[in-house]
């Protein structure tokens, strides 16, 4: 089956269809309106924090300001006093503001009405107890309306969207365009009534075409995934691997379908969190073995990084004053050595069957590395992984690379999400990004690249920065060997690297001599 719609964000992608009906049928609201607003505002702040592209961040911060606007709150209170139930009060007051914007002539201001509706939907979702991203990763999402929170990198971004309402100037579409996530608007969602959830759908965001099931294979113009294999780098005689970040064996399979050159970061704590407990060694063994078999390339398993913003019952403390600076990542392992050992056993068993790599999170000292390496070596079962490395996310490691190389570290993977927060002393969840210096971050990365090259250690980047095309080109130009990005971003990042003309890399490197952060970003984004 084939359908035509209006393209509002270009690109090609395919995946299983997932209907999102939350915005059409919100769950019955519970809880307190003010608390729900606070949770929704915090969630927008968190997403703004995750968005290193200043344009995306500004959209989210503008939405957060809208949500916290006292005028809206007062309008909601007035409706509550006149007897409206809370969800009706939020919706009706939002509709009133949106209608006022809709009535304006200026197309830019008109498009802001969509933001108001989106923020109202987020507030209502929060009231119903759901404030997290509502998009299944890797899916083609069918929804009434496209939301900013859905399309951001770092969230559970879908491969593509088919929506009923949307314009190319709405913020969510602008972000999708930047990210290369295709979006097509159809006249009615009922046109896809005969397609069941989970059925494979391809979306061509250039032509506005939607191809379902078998027909996809007959659609020669649809580039459904990136070509497999590292991308030759025009700035020098080398190729860049583009791998995927996943949290399950199923996602490892999607990574292969998307053309990823393997998995650069398997966040095992997400697999733990999915079970709500520490899985047994046998369960882990099965999951890691399946992931290694499905990925179509090496799989880099990160030992569990619980704590901080990823608490896990039974492992992490509930009452830490400053969890991001406390007991998280490998710092937990000495307290739960049997959990660590069982995980390493499961990883080594998977390594006996396929190309498996292992890395450790939150390593901050040489002793930390020695402890992790010794624990891995002490496991008698399975095979030694193909490579063993560490995340570079605590700034102290920037100054320990020669010693790490001498002590057996085979690769480094820059976790730019945490490196950014620790380098700038700005919490990952903090909405105010004005104290963060992208120029300092870029120079810290440049330093890491020089050190890794000088000591013969492979360097990857698996933090959110790698999923931004402008940063990806800079990272490649600096000498990074591998980028690991969310599955839906594989194709866009491979495309961005492949497009770099031979003369471009030195130009990008000029950005590092910028005199200010603004100057740096302007040069980086062209
Ligand atoms: C990072 O810190 O950049 C990273 C990739 O790890 P996480 O986001 O899981 O902390
Ligand atoms: Mg991290």
């Amino acid at each position: 089956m084939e359908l035509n719609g209006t393209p509002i964000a270009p690109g090609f992608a395919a995946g299983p269809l997932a209907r999102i009906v939350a915005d059409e049928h919100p769950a019955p609201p519970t809880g307190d309106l003010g608390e729900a607003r606070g949770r929704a505002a915090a969630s927008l702040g968190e997403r703004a924090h995750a968005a290193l592209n200043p344009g995306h961040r500004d959209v989210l911060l503008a939405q957060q300001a809208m949500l916290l606007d006292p005028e809206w709150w007062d309008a909601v209170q007035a409706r509550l006093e006149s007897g409206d139930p809370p969800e009706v009060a939020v919706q009706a007051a939002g509709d009133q503001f949106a209608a006022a914007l809709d009535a304006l002539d200026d197309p830019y201001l008109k498009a802001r009405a969509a933001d108001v509706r989106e923020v109202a939907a987020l507030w209502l979702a929060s009231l119903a107890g759901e404030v997290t991203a509502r998009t299944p990763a890797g899916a083609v999402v069918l929804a009434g309306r496209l939301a900013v929170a859905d399309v951001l990198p770092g969230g559970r971004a879908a491969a593509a969207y088919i929506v009923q309402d949307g314009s190319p100037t709405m913020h969510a579409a602008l972000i999708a365009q930047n990210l290369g996530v295709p979006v097509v608007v159809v006249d009615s969602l009922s046109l896809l009534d005969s397609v069941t959830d989970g059925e494979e759908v391809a979306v061509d965001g250039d032509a506005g075409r939607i191809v379902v099931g078998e027909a996809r294979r007959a659609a020669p113009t649809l580039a459904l995934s990136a070509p497999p294999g590292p991308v030759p780098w025009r700035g020098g005689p080398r190729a860049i691997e583009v791998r995927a970040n996943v949290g399950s064996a199923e996602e490892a399979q999607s990574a292969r379908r998307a053309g990823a050159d393997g998995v650069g970061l398997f966040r095992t704590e997400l697999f733990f969190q999915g079970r709500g407990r520490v899985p047994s060694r046998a369960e882990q063994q099965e999951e890691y073995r399946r992931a290694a078999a499905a990925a179509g390339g090496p799989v880099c398993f990160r030992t569990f990084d619980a704590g901080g913003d990823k608490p896990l019952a039974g492992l992490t403390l509930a009452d830490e004053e400053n969890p991001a600076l406390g007991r998280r990542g490998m710092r937990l392992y000495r307290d739960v050595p049997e959990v660590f050992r069982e995980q390493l056993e499961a990883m080594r068993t998977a390594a006996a069957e396929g190309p498996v790599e292992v890395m450790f999170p939150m390593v901050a000292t040489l002793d930390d590395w020695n402890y992790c390496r010794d624990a891995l070596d002490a496991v008698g079962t399975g095979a030694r992984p193909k490579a063993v490395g560490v995340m570079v996310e605590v700034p102290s490691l920037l100054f320990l690379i020669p010693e790490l190389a001498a002590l057996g570290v085979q690769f480094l993977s820059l976790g730019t999400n945490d490196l950014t927060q620790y380098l700038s002393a700005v919490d990952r969840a903090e909405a105010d990004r004005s104290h963060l210096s992208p120029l300092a971050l870029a120079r810290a990365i440049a330093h890491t690249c020089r050190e890794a090259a000088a000591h013969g250690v492979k360097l990857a980047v698996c933090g959110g920065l790698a999923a931004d095309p402008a940063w990806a080109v800079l990272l490649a130009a600096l000498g990074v060997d591998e980028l690991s990005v969310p599955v839906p971003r594989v194709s866009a990042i491979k495309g961005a690297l492949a497009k770099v003309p031979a003369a471009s890399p030195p130009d990008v490197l000029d950005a590092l001599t910028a005199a200010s952060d603004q100057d740096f970003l302007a040069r980086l984004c062209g």
Side-chain angles (χ1 to χ4, degrees):
M1 175 176 136
E2 197 169 320
L3 285 176
N4 285 311
T6 309
I8 63 169
F12 302 99
L17 188 77
R19 284 184 169 74
I20 298 295
V21 291
D23 47 355
E24 283 93 19
H25 305 290
T30 54
D32 176 87
L33 261 186
E35 279 175 20
R37 188 174 71 144
R39 279 196 303 274
S43 142
L44 285 168
E46 198 173 322
R47 286 167 189 150
H49 172 75
L52 270 173
N53 179 316
H56 303 170
R57 195 177 64 230
D58 291 351
V59 170
L60 286 159
L61 292 179
Q63 288 197 344
Q64 192 187 42
M66 251 176 210
L67 177 65
L68 298 175
D69 188 332
E71 221 185 303
W72 193 349
W73 180 253
D74 290 347
V76 169
Q77 294 308 316
R79 285 180 178 273
L80 289 176
E81 274 157 30
S82 65
D84 277 353
E87 72 281 13
V88 173
V90 169
Q91 185 72 64
D95 283 347
Q96 190 185 327
F97 290 130
L101 286 164
D102 257 339
L104 300 172
D105 285 336
D106 180 332
Y108 178 84
L109 290 175
K110 242 177 149 52
R112 299 294 70 80
D115 288 316
V116 174
R117 293 199 175 92
E118 200 176 299
V119 170
L122 186 67
W123 192 347
L124 290 173
S126 172
L127 200 56
E130 317 159 9
V131 288
T132 49
R134 56 198 177 93
T135 308
V140 169
V141 166
L142 184 65
R145 194 173 45 237
L146 188 67
V148 164
D150 289 342
V151 285
L152 286 173
R156 300 185 65 208
Y161 291 86
I162 304 169
V163 294
Q164 190 170 318
D165 292 331
S167 79
T169 53
M170 70 194 289
H171 272 133
L174 296 175
I175 293 172
Q177 289 158 18
N178 278 348
L179 296 176
V181 176
V183 183
V184 171
V185 177
V186 288
D187 290 342
S188 162
L189 297 185
S190 61
L191 290 168
L192 284 116
D193 274 354
S194 63
V195 185
T196 49
D197 270 29
E199 211 173 323
E200 189 84 349
V201 173
V203 177
D204 177 347
D206 291 79
R209 225 152 49 104
I210 297 159
V211 185
V212 180
E214 285 305 305
R216 176 169 80 86
R217 278 173 262 289
T221 61
L222 291 188
L224 297 170
S225 64
V231 184
W233 178 246
R234 310 239 177 114
R238 61 198 186 95
I240 319 287
E241 277 177 75
V242 179
R243 300 202 201 173
N245 295 346
V246 307
S248 68
E250 283 67 33
E251 282 181 88
Q253 195 165 22
S254 313
R256 177 192 210 142
R257 282 204 300 264
D261 304 316
V263 168
L265 169 63
F266 188 121
R267 289 181 165 103
T268 58
E269 67 280 0
L270 298 185
F271 169 56
F272 285 24
Q273 282 181 314
R275 302 265 159 145
R277 59 177 167 80
V278 177
S280 69
R281 183 179 45 204
E283 285 173 304
Q284 291 187 56
Q285 227 162 268
E286 175 59 10
E287 183 75 6
Y288 303 158
R289 205 190 47 71
R290 284 200 306 123
V299 178
C300 180
F301 291 104
R302 180 174 73 183
T303 51
F304 62 96
D305 180 22
D309 59 350
K310 286 177 283 194
L312 191 70
L315 278 186
T316 52
L317 303 172
D319 56 356
E320 269 190 302
E321 195 157 311
N322 210 337
L325 297 179
R327 216 170 142 271
R328 65 165 290 203
M330 68 75 54
R331 296 173 187 189
L332 281 173
Y333 301 166
R334 286 187 176 89
D335 297 338
V336 286
E338 68 295 347
V339 177
F340 186 39
R341 195 194 61 243
E342 289 206 350
Q343 180 169 52
L344 294 174
E345 284 169 358
M347 289 177 179
R348 284 189 63 128
T349 306
E353 296 181 29
V356 161
E357 300 164 353
V358 170
M359 72 174 166
F360 303 106
M362 292 296 291
V363 168
T365 68
L366 298 176
D367 279 358
D368 287 350
W369 156 251
N370 288 335
Y371 175 82
C372 293
R373 184 206 50 206
D374 290 351
L376 181 68
D377 288 345
V379 171
T381 54
R384 198 180 154 74
K386 193 170 154 271
V388 185
V390 293
M391 298 276 302
V392 179
E393 49 191 350
V394 180
S396 57
L397 274 210
L398 264 53
F399 309 103
L400 297 173
I401 293 170
E403 290 78 9
L404 288 170
L407 290 168
V409 167
Q410 291 165 289
F411 68 89
L412 304 169
S413 189
L414 275 158
T416 53
N417 306 332
D418 278 314
L419 184 61
T420 305
Q421 84 165 340
Y422 296 126
L423 194 63
S424 317
V426 176
D427 193 297
R428 281 172 86 131
E430 172 59 55
D432 179 0
R433 310 278 288 170
S434 54
H435 304 291
L436 189 160
S437 167
L439 178 57
L441 180 63
R443 288 182 180 166
I445 295 170
H447 164 86
T448 312
C449 290
R450 283 192 299 272
E451 289 283 273
H455 297 280
V457 182
K458 180 182 172 184
L459 182 61
V461 178
C462 63
L465 224 51
D468 180 307
W471 277 93
V473 169
L474 176 66
L475 295 170
L478 284 169
V480 166
D481 305 291
E482 172 200 314
L483 301 174
S484 192
V485 302
V487 174
R489 303 290 303 137
V490 168
S491 176
I493 293 304
K494 281 198 165 184
L497 295 177
K499 267 197 278 185
V500 174
S504 216
D507 290 354
V508 178
L509 292 176
D510 282 352
L512 287 157
T513 60
S516 70
D517 286 305
Q518 289 318 320
D519 185 20
F520 167 76
L521 288 173
R523 293 204 214 175
L524 178 71
C525 300

